[in-house]
Structure formats: C-alpha cells, structure tokens
Amino acid sequence: MQIPKLQHTQSGNFFLIAGPCAIEGRDIALEIADKIKKITDRLEIPYIFKGSFRKANRTKLNSFTGIGDIAALEILKEVGDTFNLPTITDIHETEHAAMAAKYVDVLQIPAFLCRQTDLLVAAAETGKAVNVKKGQFLSGQAMHFAVEKIRSVGNNVVFLTDRGNSFGYSDLVVDFRNIPEMQANQVPVVMDCTHSLQQPNQSSGITGGKPALIETIAKAAIAVGADGLFIETHPRLSEAKSDAANMLPLDKLENLLEKLVKIRKAVVA
C-alpha cells in the first residue's frame, strides 16, 4: 500500500490498524501510540494508528461524540508526527473529507455509509488512501461497487475491511468467505476483530460485545489470509469513553500479536 510513513512493508507480515475507539485527549492518544509502536517495531508489523475524531453513529443521544473536531484531528496529526506513523480516522459527511485529509493519511468510510457515493468520491478525491468498511448488510462480493467508486476518480490506494454481518438480532456473525471475496478486487482486506464482536442495539442503549473472542477472530482471519487486522485497544477500559465493551485491553495486545505473527509465517510458508 502506498501510504506515507508505513514502515516494515517488506516484512511479509499482516499490517495493523489499532488505537482507541475515539480520540479522548492528547495524553492517552500518545500513550497508546507509543506502546503499540514499540510492539509493532519489534515484531516488524506495519502499523497505522487509528482514532475517530468524531463519533457520529451513537445509540443514545447523550453518548460521547468527541472532544471537538479540530482538537481531535490535531492530536491525530501530532501522533503521526511524533512517532512517524500513518494515521487513520473515519468520516461521516462529504465536507469531512477535505477537512480530515489535512491531518491524517487514511480516510475511513464507516460500514453503515459504504454505499454513500458522494462520501466515497469525496474521500477518494482528496488523494488520500481510503479504507471502506463493509456494511453489515452486504456480502463481500457487493463491495466491488465501493472499490469502483473510489477508483473512478483515479485513486487506486483503497482497501476494504470486514466487520461482520448482522441479522437484526443485536449480534453480528463473521463470514470468513468475505475475505477472499473482497480480495478478488485486487485490494488489501482487513478484518476488524473488535467491531465484529459488537452486540449492538441493546435495550440499555449501550453497545455490548464479546471481547473474549477477539483472539479467535484474529487467528481465523490470519489463517484465511487477511492482509491486515483492525483492533481497538485501550489501557484502561473502565475509563474509555466509547466501545469499552468490545475493545482489547492494551496489555494483552503484545501476546496476541506474537501468536498471530507465528500463524502468518505458517500460512505463507
């Protein structure tokens, strides 16, 4: 992938998109990025720091949405500059594309918005890499059209992310056929190991999750041949302002990645 500052691309490893669900503040973002970079450098895993500058898709009206757009984007830029890391954030409206592109290296299209043509084209027109999350309501094959929209304006730096399929019963199911089906578009494919374990639309208004299965999803994805993994992580889940129920505790990330690197080596051997 032609993404600035993406290191270790010749290692043969999967790449990792990881960080907190949302940008909660400068210190916590720098803390997380520092710890993950040390791990990924040692394991030679290409790493992209992630964090949402705004959380637009919330169940409850009073859920945390962010610390302010520019404030959060400036923190993302500082993380990238401080650790020489590419950064990624999701956008929800066409006007967000040009704004966010000034601060990050990759623009992400949320799953619920993957069919929004104007949003996809606006992201592509910035010239930044674009990660499109597969809608929970779509097959892997249907994402061909999202790739076409990005490429229609001459942007070929695109990858796709699976995050499970929903059947409307406050749960998600991962169909690993989606990985090779999306790879048929000649693009890297990522498995979102944390959002795919969400249990949305709970009666409490707070999304639930099954974080104990993160390792299971990650291992299976690497075994199937996923090019990258997406993992939301936080050092203190009790303090996390978004998606605490399905994030991986940061102190468990290193051990998990060590196992996954071994699986990757076995798969490509």
Side-chain angles (χ1 to χ4, degrees):
M1 291 185 298
Q2 299 171 356
I3 299 175
K5 299 181 286 188
L6 189 62
Q7 301 172 340
H8 308 303
T9 53
Q10 304 304 314
S11 68
N13 261 331
F14 56 89
F15 65 94
L16 176 68
I17 301 172
C21 177
I23 296 299
E24 303 170 355
R26 176 182 180 273
D27 291 346
I28 186 67
L30 291 170
E31 176 188 350
I32 293 171
D34 181 42
K35 291 182 178 179
I36 299 178
K37 186 176 187 300
K38 288 175 179 175
I39 296 169
T40 53
D41 277 355
R42 182 177 69 81
L43 297 175
E44 295 188 330
I45 297 173
Y47 172 45
I48 304 172
F49 177 86
K50 69 84 51 186
S52 297
F53 77 91
R54 184 199 295 186
K55 298 299 296 181
N57 179 20
R58 302 285 83 192
T59 302
K60 296 172 68 176
L61 181 63
N62 62 350
S63 295
F64 174 80
T65 58
I67 61 173
D69 292 354
I70 300 303
L73 287 168
E74 287 179 342
I75 290 171
L76 280 162
K77 187 177 187 306
E78 183 177 358
V79 167
D81 291 343
T82 301
F83 299 104
N84 193 33
L85 286 173
T87 56
I88 182 172
T89 197
D90 42 317
I91 59 173
H92 303 85
E93 301 174 22
T94 54
E95 57 264 31
H96 289 169
M99 177 180 71
K102 297 176 182 177
Y103 299 89
V104 300
D105 303 287
V106 187
L107 299 178
Q108 180 169 282
I109 307 299
F112 284 125
L113 301 178
C114 69
R115 286 170 53 95
Q116 298 299 104
T117 300
D118 288 350
L119 182 62
L120 290 165
V121 171
E125 287 179 336
T126 66
K128 297 290 184 175
V130 182
N131 177 31
V132 187
K133 285 199 167 184
K134 183 188 74 63
Q136 300 93 320
F137 43 86
L138 291 177
S139 69
Q141 292 176 330
M143 290 301 289
H144 170 72
F145 301 105
V147 175
E148 280 189 339
K149 292 174 184 179
I150 301 296
R151 289 174 172 165
S152 71
V153 295
N155 189 334
N156 293 310
V157 189
V158 53
F159 49 104
L160 302 175
T161 295
D162 187 20
R163 54 150 301 164
N165 286 77
S166 174
F167 294 91
Y169 294 97
S170 299
D171 205 354
L172 296 170
V173 176
V174 176
D175 181 350
F176 287 98
R177 294 176 298 178
N178 287 329
I179 293 175
E181 286 179 355
M182 292 195 290
Q183 286 172 328
N185 295 294
Q186 303 303 307
V187 298
V189 172
V190 179
M191 184 70 231
D192 185 337
C193 304
T194 45
H195 286 108
S196 62
L197 291 166
Q198 280 186 334
Q199 294 182 301
N201 303 316
Q202 300 295 307
S203 59
S204 64
I206 299 174
T207 296
K210 297 180 178 179
L213 292 175
I214 291 172
E215 181 171 324
T216 301
I217 296 295
K219 286 179 175 178
I222 294 300
V224 169
D227 301 284
L229 297 177
F230 180 111
I231 298 175
E232 287 190 338
T233 183
H234 197 285
R236 295 173 289 280
L237 294 185
S238 62
E239 299 176 12
K241 298 182 181 298
S242 179
D243 277 0
N246 56 273
M247 281 199 281
L248 180 74
L250 184 55
D251 61 7
K252 293 185 177 182
L253 181 63
E254 185 169 15
N255 180 258
L256 173 59
L257 292 177
E258 288 175 344
K259 295 177 182 177
L260 297 175
V261 167
K262 293 177 182 178
I263 296 173
R264 173 72 172 187
K265 290 179 179 177
V267 169
V268 301

